[in-house]
Amino acid sequence: MDLEARRVVRIGIPRGEAYPMGPGKAALLEAIEQTGSISAAARGLNLSYRKAWTLVDTMNRHFREPLVSATTGGAQGGGAVVTEAGREALRQYRELERKAWAAIEGETHAFLKLLRPNDLQDY
Amino acid sequence: MDLEARRVVRIGIPRGEAYPMGPGKAALLEAIEQTGSISAAARGLNLSYRKAWTLVDTMNRHFREPLVSATTGGAQGGGAVVTEAGREALRQYRELERKAWAAIEGETHAFLKLLRPNDLQDY
């Protein structure tokens, strides 16, 4: 899905008041996968370390298995890896997004025709 | 769609930096339809009048035809009606939501199995 599609379809997995998974957490998982570090992932997404840590904590508390495994301390500071459970959750989440978008892509373009023509130019 | 489904699937119609339609604006349209008034609709949704007016203004500026027609002043204060174009936009928007949800309802329930069992009890 391109960025515009992700602006149209936002999937959240709600649990009580929390969202154990959603667009921000999925992006964070991908960034951790790429950087091997919560702090580097946070910087790349313009999140504070504290915010990124809270998102990871919410995921790890709600899923059966932790999605992110973090090691603290050591000479190089802590590292973090996305677990096998994390990769699977991310895969299933992206699939939900993809299927929802596939189901409405055509109708979304039809909906856009209700907007003013000058607005249509930048789509 | 029930409320839980609407927490899972959130559809927004983006246009540049703005969202001419989304969950909040759709709810506002419905409330205006029911109350005949922007201020009464705002109260029912716990929005300030200013916020509700801004949402209506954003819709009316982006769509080809105004979605809400408001009359100001008069002995009873202003009234507002959802136009035919507004009802059609609302109908198409709800259909987008419904189709997206139908496409992922089963997979969403499968995804929930990745969460801790004690979390599953309240679903």
Side-chain angles (χ1 to χ4, degrees), chain B residues 1 7 13 15 18 23 31 34-35 39-40 42 44 47-48 50 62 73 75 80 89 95-96 108-109 113 115-116 118:
Chain B
M1 291 210 321
R7 287 189 71 200
I13 303 297
R15 172 62 72 222
Q34 284 159 19
T35 62
S39 57
L47 299 175
S48 68
R50 185 187 181 79
H62 282 90
E95 184 70 4
L96 288 175
T108 297
H109 286 280
K113 295 189 180 135
L115 300 180
R116 287 186 192 278
N118 61 329

Side-chain angles (χ1 to χ4, degrees), chain A residues 34-123:
Chain A
Q34 285 160 18
T35 62
S37 148
I38 294 176
S39 57
R43 276 195 300 278
L45 294 171
N46 254 325
L47 299 175
S48 68
Y49 176 77
R50 185 187 181 80
K51 174 68 176 173
W53 191 90
T54 301
L55 295 175
V56 167
D57 185 58
T58 298
M59 289 189 276
N60 281 356
R61 280 188 296 104
H62 281 90
F63 281 82
R64 285 174 183 267
E65 298 176 49
L67 304 195
V68 174
S69 173
T71 59
T72 56
Q76 314 298 316
V81 294
V82 176
T83 64
E84 177 58 36
R87 284 195 297 275
E88 178 60 19
L90 186 58
R91 189 192 66 74
Q92 288 193 29
Y93 177 77
R94 293 303 188 201
E95 184 70 3
L96 288 175
E97 287 186 318
R98 194 194 60 71
K99 284 193 175 171
W101 174 240
I104 67 167
E105 182 172 2
E107 286 90 338
T108 298
H109 287 281
F111 191 98
L112 288 164
K113 295 188 180 134
L114 301 177
L115 301 179
R116 288 185 192 279
N118 61 328
D119 282 332
L120 283 171
Q121 292 169 4
D122 63 10
Y123 194 74

Side-chain angles (χ1 to χ4, degrees), chain B residues 61-84:
Chain B
R61 281 188 296 102
H62 282 90
F63 280 83
R64 286 173 183 267
E65 297 175 51
L67 304 195
V68 174
S69 173
T71 59
T72 56
Q76 313 298 318
V81 294
V82 175
T83 64
E84 178 58 35

